[in-house]
PDB file of all heavy atoms in Angstrom:
ATOM      1  N   VAL A   1      71.150  81.119  53.558  1.00  0.00           N
ATOM      2  CA  VAL A   1      69.688  81.161  53.477  1.00  0.00           C
ATOM      3  C   VAL A   1      69.211  79.735  53.216  1.00  0.00           C
ATOM      4  O   VAL A   1      69.992  78.860  52.824  1.00  0.00           O
ATOM      5  CB  VAL A   1      69.201  82.097  52.353  1.00  0.00           C
ATOM      6  CG1 VAL A   1      69.702  83.522  52.579  1.00  0.00           C
ATOM      7  CG2 VAL A   1      69.649  81.596  50.977  1.00  0.00           C
ATOM      8  N   GLY A   2      67.943  79.492  53.426  1.00  0.00           N
ATOM      9  CA  GLY A   2      67.409  78.182  53.126  1.00  0.00           C
ATOM     10  C   GLY A   2      67.387  77.914  51.639  1.00  0.00           C
ATOM     11  O   GLY A   2      67.014  78.777  50.852  1.00  0.00           O
ATOM     12  N   ASP A   3      67.810  76.720  51.227  1.00  0.00           N
ATOM     13  CA  ASP A   3      67.671  76.313  49.836  1.00  0.00           C
ATOM     14  C   ASP A   3      66.213  75.903  49.605  1.00  0.00           C
ATOM     15  O   ASP A   3      65.381  75.970  50.510  1.00  0.00           O
ATOM     16  CB  ASP A   3      68.637  75.169  49.530  1.00  0.00           C
ATOM     17  CG  ASP A   3      68.924  75.028  48.034  1.00  0.00           C
ATOM     18  OD1 ASP A   3      68.243  75.687  47.232  1.00  0.00           O
ATOM     19  OD2 ASP A   3      69.816  74.240  47.681  1.00  0.00           O
ATOM     20  N   ALA A   4      65.890  75.473  48.405  1.00  0.00           N
ATOM     21  CA  ALA A   4      64.514  75.131  48.050  1.00  0.00           C
ATOM     22  C   ALA A   4      63.918  74.154  49.060  1.00  0.00           C
ATOM     23  O   ALA A   4      64.609  73.280  49.590  1.00  0.00           O
ATOM     24  CB  ALA A   4      64.481  74.519  46.654  1.00  0.00           C
ATOM     25  N   ILE A   5      62.624  74.307  49.313  1.00  0.00           N
ATOM     26  CA  ILE A   5      61.975  73.486  50.332  1.00  0.00           C
ATOM     27  C   ILE A   5      62.095  72.000  50.019  1.00  0.00           C
ATOM     28  O   ILE A   5      62.177  71.168  50.922  1.00  0.00           O
ATOM     29  CB  ILE A   5      60.496  73.905  50.508  1.00  0.00           C
ATOM     30  CG1 ILE A   5      59.914  73.248  51.765  1.00  0.00           C
ATOM     31  CG2 ILE A   5      59.677  73.596  49.259  1.00  0.00           C
ATOM     32  CD1 ILE A   5      58.596  73.824  52.196  1.00  0.00           C
ATOM     33  N   GLU A   6      62.162  71.631  48.743  1.00  0.00           N
ATOM     34  CA  GLU A   6      62.297  70.224  48.370  1.00  0.00           C
ATOM     35  C   GLU A   6      63.603  69.627  48.883  1.00  0.00           C
ATOM     36  O   GLU A   6      63.719  68.405  49.045  1.00  0.00           O
ATOM     37  CB  GLU A   6      62.223  70.071  46.850  1.00  0.00           C
ATOM     38  CG  GLU A   6      60.884  70.439  46.250  1.00  0.00           C
ATOM     39  CD  GLU A   6      60.691  71.941  46.072  1.00  0.00           C
ATOM     40  OE1 GLU A   6      61.682  72.693  46.255  1.00  0.00           O
ATOM     41  OE2 GLU A   6      59.563  72.365  45.756  1.00  0.00           O
ATOM     42  N   ALA A   7      64.604  70.473  49.123  1.00  0.00           N
ATOM     43  CA  ALA A   7      65.892  70.008  49.637  1.00  0.00           C
ATOM     44  C   ALA A   7      65.936  70.021  51.158  1.00  0.00           C
ATOM     45  O   ALA A   7      66.984  69.730  51.746  1.00  0.00           O
ATOM     46  CB  ALA A   7      67.014  70.887  49.090  1.00  0.00           C
ATOM     47  N   ASN A   8      64.812  70.330  51.791  1.00  0.00           N
ATOM     48  CA  ASN A   8      64.763  70.473  53.245  1.00  0.00           C
ATOM     49  C   ASN A   8      63.587  69.702  53.842  1.00  0.00           C
ATOM     50  O   ASN A   8      62.633  70.291  54.361  1.00  0.00           O
ATOM     51  CB  ASN A   8      64.663  71.955  53.609  1.00  0.00           C
ATOM     52  CG  ASN A   8      65.967  72.688  53.416  1.00  0.00           C
ATOM     53  OD1 ASN A   8      66.841  72.651  54.274  1.00  0.00           O
ATOM     54  ND2 ASN A   8      66.112  73.337  52.263  1.00  0.00           N
ATOM     55  N   PRO A   9      63.648  68.360  53.763  1.00  0.00           N
ATOM     56  CA  PRO A   9      62.531  67.578  54.309  1.00  0.00           C
ATOM     57  C   PRO A   9      62.299  67.800  55.790  1.00  0.00           C
ATOM     58  O   PRO A   9      61.204  67.542  56.289  1.00  0.00           O
ATOM     59  CB  PRO A   9      62.926  66.130  54.006  1.00  0.00           C
ATOM     60  CG  PRO A   9      64.379  66.158  53.688  1.00  0.00           C
ATOM     61  CD  PRO A   9      64.667  67.504  53.119  1.00  0.00           C
ATOM     62  N   TRP A  10      63.285  68.306  56.519  1.00  0.00           N
ATOM     63  CA  TRP A  10      63.106  68.550  57.952  1.00  0.00           C
ATOM     64  C   TRP A  10      61.924  69.486  58.213  1.00  0.00           C
ATOM     65  O   TRP A  10      61.225  69.357  59.219  1.00  0.00           O
ATOM     66  CB  TRP A  10      64.383  69.135  58.563  1.00  0.00           C
ATOM     67  CG  TRP A  10      64.681  70.548  58.159  1.00  0.00           C
ATOM     68  CD1 TRP A  10      65.348  70.957  57.042  1.00  0.00           C
ATOM     69  CD2 TRP A  10      64.317  71.729  58.868  1.00  0.00           C
ATOM     70  NE1 TRP A  10      65.426  72.331  57.004  1.00  0.00           N
ATOM     71  CE2 TRP A  10      64.808  72.828  58.124  1.00  0.00           C
ATOM     72  CE3 TRP A  10      63.638  71.977  60.062  1.00  0.00           C
ATOM     73  CZ2 TRP A  10      64.631  74.149  58.527  1.00  0.00           C
ATOM     74  CZ3 TRP A  10      63.453  73.295  60.468  1.00  0.00           C
ATOM     75  CH2 TRP A  10      63.955  74.361  59.707  1.00  0.00           C
ATOM     76  N   ILE A  11      61.659  70.418  57.285  1.00  0.00           N
ATOM     77  CA  ILE A  11      60.541  71.340  57.450  1.00  0.00           C
ATOM     78  C   ILE A  11      59.478  71.134  56.384  1.00  0.00           C
ATOM     79  O   ILE A  11      58.308  71.469  56.586  1.00  0.00           O
ATOM     80  CB  ILE A  11      61.039  72.809  57.449  1.00  0.00           C
ATOM     81  CG1 ILE A  11      59.915  73.784  57.837  1.00  0.00           C
ATOM     82  CG2 ILE A  11      61.629  73.170  56.081  1.00  0.00           C
ATOM     83  CD1 ILE A  11      59.384  73.586  59.229  1.00  0.00           C
ATOM     84  N   ALA A  12      59.846  70.553  55.239  1.00  0.00           N
ATOM     85  CA  ALA A  12      58.888  70.395  54.136  1.00  0.00           C
ATOM     86  C   ALA A  12      57.696  69.544  54.541  1.00  0.00           C
ATOM     87  O   ALA A  12      56.554  69.823  54.149  1.00  0.00           O
ATOM     88  CB  ALA A  12      59.589  69.784  52.921  1.00  0.00           C
ATOM     89  N   VAL A  13      57.934  68.503  55.331  1.00  0.00           N
ATOM     90  CA  VAL A  13      56.848  67.601  55.745  1.00  0.00           C
ATOM     91  C   VAL A  13      55.817  68.361  56.569  1.00  0.00           C
ATOM     92  O   VAL A  13      54.602  68.301  56.308  1.00  0.00           O
ATOM     93  CB  VAL A  13      57.423  66.418  56.541  1.00  0.00           C
ATOM     94  CG1 VAL A  13      56.307  65.621  57.197  1.00  0.00           C
ATOM     95  CG2 VAL A  13      58.254  65.517  55.627  1.00  0.00           C
ATOM     96  N   LEU A  14      56.277  69.096  57.561  1.00  0.00           N
ATOM     97  CA  LEU A  14      55.360  69.865  58.409  1.00  0.00           C
ATOM     98  C   LEU A  14      54.699  70.988  57.623  1.00  0.00           C
ATOM     99  O   LEU A  14      53.489  71.223  57.750  1.00  0.00           O
ATOM    100  CB  LEU A  14      56.122  70.435  59.601  1.00  0.00           C
ATOM    101  CG  LEU A  14      55.333  71.372  60.530  1.00  0.00           C
ATOM    102  CD1 LEU A  14      54.124  70.657  61.120  1.00  0.00           C
ATOM    103  CD2 LEU A  14      56.234  71.899  61.635  1.00  0.00           C
ATOM    104  N   GLN A  15      55.470  71.667  56.790  1.00  0.00           N
ATOM    105  CA  GLN A  15      54.918  72.781  56.010  1.00  0.00           C
ATOM    106  C   GLN A  15      53.781  72.309  55.107  1.00  0.00           C
ATOM    107  O   GLN A  15      52.731  72.950  55.020  1.00  0.00           O
ATOM    108  CB  GLN A  15      56.026  73.425  55.174  1.00  0.00           C
ATOM    109  CG  GLN A  15      55.600  74.661  54.382  1.00  0.00           C
ATOM    110  CD  GLN A  15      55.456  75.892  55.256  1.00  0.00           C
ATOM    111  OE1 GLN A  15      55.929  75.910  56.382  1.00  0.00           O
ATOM    112  NE2 GLN A  15      54.804  76.911  54.734  1.00  0.00           N
ATOM    113  N   ALA A  16      53.978  71.172  54.438  1.00  0.00           N
ATOM    114  CA  ALA A  16      52.943  70.656  53.548  1.00  0.00           C
ATOM    115  C   ALA A  16      51.668  70.328  54.311  1.00  0.00           C
ATOM    116  O   ALA A  16      50.551  70.594  53.844  1.00  0.00           O
ATOM    117  CB  ALA A  16      53.458  69.414  52.824  1.00  0.00           C
ATOM    118  N   ALA A  17      51.815  69.757  55.507  1.00  0.00           N
ATOM    119  CA  ALA A  17      50.644  69.420  56.315  1.00  0.00           C
ATOM    120  C   ALA A  17      49.904  70.681  56.755  1.00  0.00           C
ATOM    121  O   ALA A  17      48.667  70.712  56.777  1.00  0.00           O
ATOM    122  CB  ALA A  17      51.072  68.601  57.530  1.00  0.00           C
ATOM    123  N   LEU A  18      50.632  71.729  57.091  1.00  0.00           N
ATOM    124  CA  LEU A  18      49.999  72.982  57.490  1.00  0.00           C
ATOM    125  C   LEU A  18      49.321  73.663  56.301  1.00  0.00           C
ATOM    126  O   LEU A  18      48.213  74.205  56.432  1.00  0.00           O
ATOM    127  CB  LEU A  18      51.031  73.911  58.118  1.00  0.00           C
ATOM    128  CG  LEU A  18      51.604  73.464  59.465  1.00  0.00           C
ATOM    129  CD1 LEU A  18      52.750  74.375  59.894  1.00  0.00           C
ATOM    130  CD2 LEU A  18      50.520  73.443  60.544  1.00  0.00           C
ATOM    131  N   VAL A  19      49.963  73.629  55.142  1.00  0.00           N
ATOM    132  CA  VAL A  19      49.364  74.219  53.935  1.00  0.00           C
ATOM    133  C   VAL A  19      48.057  73.499  53.596  1.00  0.00           C
ATOM    134  O   VAL A  19      47.046  74.143  53.275  1.00  0.00           O
ATOM    135  CB  VAL A  19      50.361  74.163  52.758  1.00  0.00           C
ATOM    136  CG1 VAL A  19      49.660  74.536  51.450  1.00  0.00           C
ATOM    137  CG2 VAL A  19      51.540  75.106  53.008  1.00  0.00           C
ATOM    138  N   ASP A  20      48.064  72.179  53.673  1.00  0.00           N
ATOM    139  CA  ASP A  20      46.863  71.394  53.363  1.00  0.00           C
ATOM    140  C   ASP A  20      45.688  71.775  54.257  1.00  0.00           C
ATOM    141  O   ASP A  20      44.524  71.662  53.852  1.00  0.00           O
ATOM    142  CB  ASP A  20      47.149  69.899  53.524  1.00  0.00           C
ATOM    143  CG  ASP A  20      48.000  69.339  52.392  1.00  0.00           C
ATOM    144  OD1 ASP A  20      48.159  70.029  51.370  1.00  0.00           O
ATOM    145  OD2 ASP A  20      48.520  68.215  52.550  1.00  0.00           O
ATOM    146  N   ARG A  21      45.969  72.248  55.454  1.00  0.00           N
ATOM    147  CA  ARG A  21      44.920  72.604  56.407  1.00  0.00           C
ATOM    148  C   ARG A  21      44.643  74.096  56.449  1.00  0.00           C
ATOM    149  O   ARG A  21      43.911  74.580  57.328  1.00  0.00           O
ATOM    150  CB  ARG A  21      45.314  72.074  57.798  1.00  0.00           C
ATOM    151  CG  ARG A  21      45.183  70.568  57.899  1.00  0.00           C
ATOM    152  CD  ARG A  21      46.090  69.961  58.952  1.00  0.00           C
ATOM    153  NE  ARG A  21      45.939  68.489  58.925  1.00  0.00           N
ATOM    154  CZ  ARG A  21      46.517  67.716  58.018  1.00  0.00           C
ATOM    155  NH1 ARG A  21      47.290  68.238  57.078  1.00  0.00           N
ATOM    156  NH2 ARG A  21      46.318  66.402  58.032  1.00  0.00           N
ATOM    157  N   GLY A  22      45.216  74.830  55.514  1.00  0.00           N
ATOM    158  CA  GLY A  22      44.980  76.259  55.445  1.00  0.00           C
ATOM    159  C   GLY A  22      45.629  77.045  56.560  1.00  0.00           C
ATOM    160  O   GLY A  22      45.230  78.184  56.840  1.00  0.00           O
ATOM    161  N   LEU A  23      46.652  76.468  57.190  1.00  0.00           N
ATOM    162  CA  LEU A  23      47.304  77.112  58.325  1.00  0.00           C
ATOM    163  C   LEU A  23      48.639  77.747  57.958  1.00  0.00           C
ATOM    164  O   LEU A  23      49.314  78.325  58.817  1.00  0.00           O
ATOM    165  CB  LEU A  23      47.524  76.086  59.440  1.00  0.00           C
ATOM    166  CG  LEU A  23      46.236  75.488  60.018  1.00  0.00           C
ATOM    167  CD1 LEU A  23      46.563  74.345  60.955  1.00  0.00           C
ATOM    168  CD2 LEU A  23      45.426  76.561  60.736  1.00  0.00           C
ATOM    169  N   ALA A  24      49.020  77.631  56.720  1.00  0.00           N
ATOM    170  CA  ALA A  24      50.268  78.231  56.237  1.00  0.00           C
ATOM    171  C   ALA A  24      50.162  78.387  54.729  1.00  0.00           C
ATOM    172  O   ALA A  24      49.320  77.740  54.083  1.00  0.00           O
ATOM    173  CB  ALA A  24      51.472  77.366  56.603  1.00  0.00           C
ATOM    174  N   GLU A  25      51.001  79.249  54.193  1.00  0.00           N
ATOM    175  CA  GLU A  25      51.086  79.415  52.745  1.00  0.00           C
ATOM    176  C   GLU A  25      52.301  78.659  52.231  1.00  0.00           C
ATOM    177  O   GLU A  25      53.307  78.521  52.933  1.00  0.00           O
ATOM    178  CB  GLU A  25      51.196  80.894  52.377  1.00  0.00           C
ATOM    179  CG  GLU A  25      49.976  81.710  52.761  1.00  0.00           C
ATOM    180  CD  GLU A  25      50.111  83.168  52.341  1.00  0.00           C
ATOM    181  OE1 GLU A  25      51.157  83.514  51.750  1.00  0.00           O
ATOM    182  OE2 GLU A  25      49.185  83.942  52.605  1.00  0.00           O
ATOM    183  N   HIS A  26      52.184  78.168  50.998  1.00  0.00           N
ATOM    184  CA  HIS A  26      53.346  77.508  50.408  1.00  0.00           C
ATOM    185  C   HIS A  26      54.471  78.531  50.268  1.00  0.00           C
ATOM    186  O   HIS A  26      54.238  79.659  49.833  1.00  0.00           O
ATOM    187  CB  HIS A  26      53.010  76.927  49.035  1.00  0.00           C
ATOM    188  CG  HIS A  26      54.098  76.070  48.473  1.00  0.00           C
ATOM    189  ND1 HIS A  26      54.335  74.778  48.904  1.00  0.00           N
ATOM    190  CD2 HIS A  26      55.042  76.337  47.535  1.00  0.00           C
ATOM    191  CE1 HIS A  26      55.365  74.279  48.243  1.00  0.00           C
ATOM    192  NE2 HIS A  26      55.810  75.202  47.414  1.00  0.00           N
ATOM    193  N   PRO A  27      55.696  78.172  50.655  1.00  0.00           N
ATOM    194  CA  PRO A  27      56.801  79.123  50.572  1.00  0.00           C
ATOM    195  C   PRO A  27      56.985  79.661  49.158  1.00  0.00           C
ATOM    196  O   PRO A  27      56.893  78.915  48.180  1.00  0.00           O
ATOM    197  CB  PRO A  27      58.009  78.289  51.001  1.00  0.00           C
ATOM    198  CG  PRO A  27      57.441  77.180  51.810  1.00  0.00           C
ATOM    199  CD  PRO A  27      56.103  76.873  51.212  1.00  0.00           C
ATOM    200  N   THR A  28      57.244  80.945  49.080  1.00  0.00           N
ATOM    201  CA  THR A  28      57.407  81.613  47.792  1.00  0.00           C
ATOM    202  C   THR A  28      58.734  82.352  47.771  1.00  0.00           C
ATOM    203  O   THR A  28      59.002  83.171  48.651  1.00  0.00           O
ATOM    204  CB  THR A  28      56.266  82.609  47.544  1.00  0.00           C
ATOM    205  OG1 THR A  28      55.018  81.917  47.612  1.00  0.00           O
ATOM    206  CG2 THR A  28      56.418  83.279  46.184  1.00  0.00           C
ATOM    207  N   VAL A  29      59.554  82.065  46.775  1.00  0.00           N
ATOM    208  CA  VAL A  29      60.801  82.814  46.609  1.00  0.00           C
ATOM    209  C   VAL A  29      60.458  84.267  46.316  1.00  0.00           C
ATOM    210  O   VAL A  29      59.571  84.572  45.519  1.00  0.00           O
ATOM    211  CB  VAL A  29      61.644  82.214  45.464  1.00  0.00           C
ATOM    212  CG1 VAL A  29      62.873  83.073  45.189  1.00  0.00           C
ATOM    213  CG2 VAL A  29      62.057  80.792  45.806  1.00  0.00           C
ATOM    214  N   GLY A  30      61.147  85.164  47.004  1.00  0.00           N
ATOM    215  CA  GLY A  30      60.906  86.589  46.819  1.00  0.00           C
ATOM    216  C   GLY A  30      60.045  87.208  47.898  1.00  0.00           C
ATOM    217  O   GLY A  30      59.908  88.433  47.942  1.00  0.00           O
ATOM    218  N   ARG A  31      59.460  86.374  48.774  1.00  0.00           N
ATOM    219  CA  ARG A  31      58.696  86.879  49.909  1.00  0.00           C
ATOM    220  C   ARG A  31      59.430  86.537  51.194  1.00  0.00           C
ATOM    221  O   ARG A  31      60.044  85.466  51.299  1.00  0.00           O
ATOM    222  CB  ARG A  31      57.296  86.258  49.946  1.00  0.00           C
ATOM    223  CG  ARG A  31      56.416  86.677  48.795  1.00  0.00           C
ATOM    224  CD  ARG A  31      55.053  86.027  48.888  1.00  0.00           C
ATOM    225  NE  ARG A  31      54.384  86.350  50.141  1.00  0.00           N
ATOM    226  CZ  ARG A  31      53.215  85.833  50.510  1.00  0.00           C
ATOM    227  NH1 ARG A  31      52.604  84.957  49.739  1.00  0.00           N
ATOM    228  NH2 ARG A  31      52.672  86.191  51.659  1.00  0.00           N
ATOM    229  N   PRO A  32      59.392  87.416  52.203  1.00  0.00           N
ATOM    230  CA  PRO A  32      60.121  87.123  53.441  1.00  0.00           C
ATOM    231  C   PRO A  32      59.686  85.793  54.042  1.00  0.00           C
ATOM    232  O   PRO A  32      58.504  85.495  54.134  1.00  0.00           O
ATOM    233  CB  PRO A  32      59.723  88.288  54.357  1.00  0.00           C
ATOM    234  CG  PRO A  32      59.269  89.375  53.457  1.00  0.00           C
ATOM    235  CD  PRO A  32      58.662  88.700  52.268  1.00  0.00           C
ATOM    236  N   GLY A  33      60.653  84.984  54.419  1.00  0.00           N
ATOM    237  CA  GLY A  33      60.352  83.693  55.002  1.00  0.00           C
ATOM    238  C   GLY A  33      61.539  82.764  54.879  1.00  0.00           C
ATOM    239  O   GLY A  33      62.585  83.119  54.319  1.00  0.00           O
ATOM    240  N   MET A  34      61.367  81.559  55.390  1.00  0.00           N
ATOM    241  CA  MET A  34      62.461  80.608  55.445  1.00  0.00           C
ATOM    242  C   MET A  34      63.068  80.321  54.069  1.00  0.00           C
ATOM    243  O   MET A  34      64.255  80.032  53.939  1.00  0.00           O
ATOM    244  CB  MET A  34      61.964  79.315  56.081  1.00  0.00           C
ATOM    245  CG  MET A  34      63.055  78.371  56.515  1.00  0.00           C
ATOM    246  SD  MET A  34      62.385  76.916  57.377  1.00  0.00           S
ATOM    247  CE  MET A  34      61.591  77.706  58.791  1.00  0.00           C
TER     248      MET A  34
END
């Protein structure tokens, strides 16, 4: 499974940009997702 997003800059950079624009939610442990 994916480790914490902080350990995965390959997706963390894009995810943060999408969250800032309201286009994604910050990843949450315990909810289905990467």
Side-chain angles (χ1 to χ4, degrees):
V1 301
D3 201 350
I5 192 167
E6 295 80 9
N8 286 278
W10 71 274
I11 189 63
V13 169
L14 175 59
Q15 184 76 15
L18 292 173
V19 170
D20 286 347
R21 287 155 183 78
L23 297 171
E25 296 182 0
H26 188 77
T28 303
V29 174
R31 293 180 58 185
M34 195 176 298

